[in-house]
Amino acid sequence: MSLRRILTVDADMAVLKQVSEPVAVVDDDLRRLMDDMLETMYAAPGIGLAAIQIGVAKRVIVMDLAGKGQPPAPRYFVNPEILWSSEETGPWEEGCLSVPDIYDDVERPIHVRLRYLDYHGAVVEEEAEELYAVCIQHEMDHLNGVLFIDHLSRLKRERAVSKVKKAARAEA
Ligand code: GNR
Ligand code: NI
């Protein structure tokens, strides 16, 4: 397994805006990609990661929502689809490894039903709520080139990108 660089909006906006392509087959090469994504996500640390965040435009997501002190619970999503979203929406404070140190509330459906292929290529259908619903919608946005800051006002979005750019300059 290897750690990959996480792309950020200061330098890599054009890549992060790309729409990712469906995966044709879940094979060992794809599992290697998912292993690298999980390792990179844990190291960050984060609770979810979409392949485009390491520069790979495939419809692949990894996630682990286990709390501190709980055993790891990695989840893998290939070609995920939302089958149903609740009318009811709610706010949740989101962050993103590609928009470091920026946090803001995003309003989303609180309950979704989804279908995806798992690590072995098996079809899974399940419902998600609370943090799981928030995270899968955040990650599926990445597959469509959408960042959580795209759900904020233009002023807040522009401020967020400026802050990340300023922080990156300060680090350089
Ligand atoms: O680590 C992450 N935390 C988080 C918190 C609230 C809502 C969404 C997320 S996902 C984020 C990691 C990330 O950027 N995934 O794309
Ligand atoms: Ni993100």
Side-chain angles (χ1 to χ4, degrees), residues 10-62:
D10 51 288
D12 313 302
M13 184 71 95
V15 178
L16 290 166
K17 293 264 112 193
Q18 287 179 20
V19 177
S20 294
E21 291 291 335
V23 169
V25 48
V26 180
D27 58 10
D28 285 344
D29 276 349
L30 193 79
R31 280 185 281 271
R32 255 188 290 278
L33 170 68
M34 293 193 281
D35 293 345
D36 285 355
M37 287 170 61
L38 196 75
E39 186 185 7
T40 301
M41 183 195 82
Y42 283 144
I47 59 172
L49 193 74
I52 195 64
Q53 293 180 275
I54 60 164
V56 177
K58 293 183 197 259
R59 302 187 82 80
V60 177
I61 290 163
V62 297

Side-chain angles (χ1 to χ4, degrees), residues 86-94 105-111 134 137:
S86 62
E87 295 281 332
E88 189 182 351
T89 64
W92 201 286
E93 186 179 71
E94 299 194 18
D105 277 4
V106 176
E107 185 88 17
R108 299 185 189 270
I110 61 167
H111 192 180
V134 171
Q137 291 177 83

Side-chain angles (χ1 to χ4, degrees), residues 1 7 15 29 35 41 44-45 48 57-58 64-65 78 96-97 124 132-133 148 150 162-163 168:
M1 292 212 283
L7 307 190
V15 178
D29 276 349
D35 293 345
M41 183 195 82
K58 293 183 197 259
D64 189 331
L65 303 178
V78 177
C96 182
L97 295 170
V124 180
Y132 183 22
F148 87 95
D150 294 324
S162 298
K163 274 192 184 173

